[in-house]
Amino acid sequence: MGEQPIFTTRAHVFQIDPSTKKNWMPASKQAVTVSYFYDSTRNSYRIISVDGAKVIINSTITPNMTFTKTSQKFGQWADSRANTVFGLGFSSEQQLTKFAEKFQEVKEAAKLARDKSQEKIETSSNHSQASSVNGTDDEKASHGPAEAHLKSENEKLKLALTQSASNVKKWEIELQTLRESNARLTAALQESAASVDQWKKQFSICRDENDRLRNKIEELEEQCNEINKEKERNAQLSKRLEALESEIQEKERELKDLRKQGEIIPQLMSECDFVTEKLEASERENQNLEDKVRSLRTDIEESKHRQRHLKMELKNFLEVLDGKIDDLHDFRRGLSKLGTEN
């Protein structure tokens, strides 16, 4: 089956600075996938993380490893084979807790696998020694055709025991190397733990600086809002200025027209004087006409008075005339009567 992922999460990956053994260096620009892999053929566990085409974590878990939580969202472990310390920054405390629990579970599984491997080695060694002893007793008991076969088996077991002893020496050397590396990494881890307070102080300073920058950003945003308002006012003023400029141009055209009209004012003034003189002459003539009208009205009144007087006189005359006519009629009738009588 090969290696299979058994747990996957996402985190920011860091490695300890090899020169200072204190400062963390980011191994990824952003959060990447970090997975536990189990190799069934080798019975081993690894933590693997890949950023693009670059492998940033390839750590085989051994029983001697320890995962340490240094903050609510950050944890680390030392890898003696890679000669470094890995750090993971998670987005939440729950993710860190799950990763730490899985690390402890895998660590226990690796310990069981190592113990089983050592038991197999010890069993093989004991079996080789027992086979060697039994072979000697058989040689003493019987010297038949099986002697050659037993010697052959004995040689094979001796060879396996020699190889096993050689492997044990290699494992002891590797274990010593791992212990030395673990000691160095433990010292580095202690130095890293000692620098946690410094990191906390730096974090506090950065947080204060972040708050100050946030306040500064808010002030800048307020200033930007004021600038935007000022821009709007400037735009309104620009529009108003354009309107005023158009009004000024209109007034200038009107002024130009007035200046042209002003050029004909003297002529208009002379015409006005001429009209004024005519008006004055007309007023004088009007006054004379009014005087004449008043005189005519007086004459009319006098004429009316004379007419009334003449009417009265004519009426009196007519009355006298009527009397005379009546007298003539009477006289004519008298003459007629006289003529008839004669």
Side-chain angles (χ1 to χ4, degrees), residues 22 36 40-41 56 65 72 75 82 106 136-137 144 147 174 179 185 196 211 229 232 254 282 284 287 289 327:
K22 294 181 180 180
Y36 286 94
S40 57
T41 58
I56 54 179
M65 288 184 178
Q72 291 183 348
V106 170
T136 304
D137 293 339
E147 183 179 357
E174 184 176 358
R179 286 176 179 173
L185 292 174
V196 168
D211 294 337
K229 293 179 180 178
E232 292 178 357
E254 292 179 359
S282 298
R284 287 192 297 270
Q287 186 66 35
L289 291 172
D327 291 339

Side-chain angles (χ1 to χ4, degrees), residues 52-68:
K54 179 182 177 183
V55 178
I56 54 179
I57 298 179
N58 185 8
S59 176
T60 301
I61 299 176
T62 63
N64 297 325
M65 288 184 178
T66 301
F67 186 82
T68 305

Side-chain angles (χ1 to χ4, degrees), residues 7 31 60 96 99 103 187 189 209 215 222 232 271 295 331:
F7 180 83
T60 301
L96 173 60
F99 188 89
F103 192 98
L189 183 60
E209 182 69 15
N215 294 330
E222 292 179 356
E232 292 178 357
E271 292 179 358
S295 177
F331 180 73

Side-chain angles (χ1 to χ4, degrees), residues 74-219:
F74 192 88
Q76 64 186 39
W77 78 95
D79 189 342
S80 59
R81 293 183 179 180
N83 195 21
T84 188
V85 179
F86 293 103
L88 297 179
F90 296 90
S91 60
S92 65
E93 186 177 0
Q94 291 78 6
Q95 291 182 348
L96 173 60
T97 302
K98 289 180 180 180
F99 188 89
E101 292 174 353
K102 195 66 179 178
F103 192 98
Q104 186 65 28
E105 178 184 340
V106 170
K107 174 182 173 182
E108 294 296 333
K111 183 177 180 181
L112 292 174
R114 185 190 66 178
D115 293 342
K116 289 180 179 180
S117 178
Q118 288 180 352
E119 288 177 0
K120 289 180 179 179
I121 293 171
E122 291 175 358
T123 301
S124 177
S125 177
N126 293 332
H127 180 70
S128 298
Q129 291 177 359
S131 299
S132 177
V133 171
N134 292 331
T136 304
D137 293 339
D138 291 339
E139 287 176 358
K140 291 178 180 179
S142 64
H143 300 279
E147 183 179 357
H149 177 70
L150 292 175
K151 286 183 178 181
S152 175
E153 291 293 331
N154 193 19
E155 291 295 329
K156 290 180 180 179
L157 292 173
K158 287 181 180 180
L159 180 60
L161 181 61
T162 302
Q163 291 178 352
S164 176
S166 176
N167 290 333
V168 168
K169 290 181 180 180
K170 289 182 181 179
W171 288 332
E172 288 177 353
I173 294 171
E174 184 176 358
L175 180 60
Q176 184 63 29
T177 303
L178 290 174
R179 286 176 179 173
E180 292 175 357
S181 298
N182 191 25
R184 290 195 299 270
L185 292 174
T186 302
L189 183 60
Q190 291 175 354
E191 292 178 359
S192 177
S195 65
V196 168
D197 293 335
Q198 181 180 358
W199 279 104
K200 289 181 179 179
K201 292 179 181 179
Q202 292 180 356
F203 176 75
S204 178
I205 294 171
C206 291
R207 184 173 56 191
D208 295 337
E209 182 69 15
N210 188 22
D211 294 337
R212 188 182 67 80
L213 291 174
R214 187 181 291 109
N215 294 330
K216 184 67 175 176
I217 289 172
E218 291 177 356
E219 293 177 359

Side-chain angles (χ1 to χ4, degrees), residues 234-248:
N234 289 335
Q236 294 176 357
L237 290 174
S238 298
K239 292 180 180 179
R240 179 61 180 167
L241 181 60
E242 291 176 357
L244 291 174
E245 287 178 352
S246 62
E247 289 180 4
I248 290 172

Side-chain angles (χ1 to χ4, degrees), residues 3-8 35-39 44-46 61 102 105-106 109:
E3 283 186 309
Q4 297 292 330
I6 58 175
F7 180 83
T8 299
S35 301
Y36 286 94
F37 279 82
Y38 172 65
D39 189 348
S44 62
Y45 297 87
R46 288 196 300 169
I61 299 176
K102 195 66 179 178
E105 178 184 340
V106 170

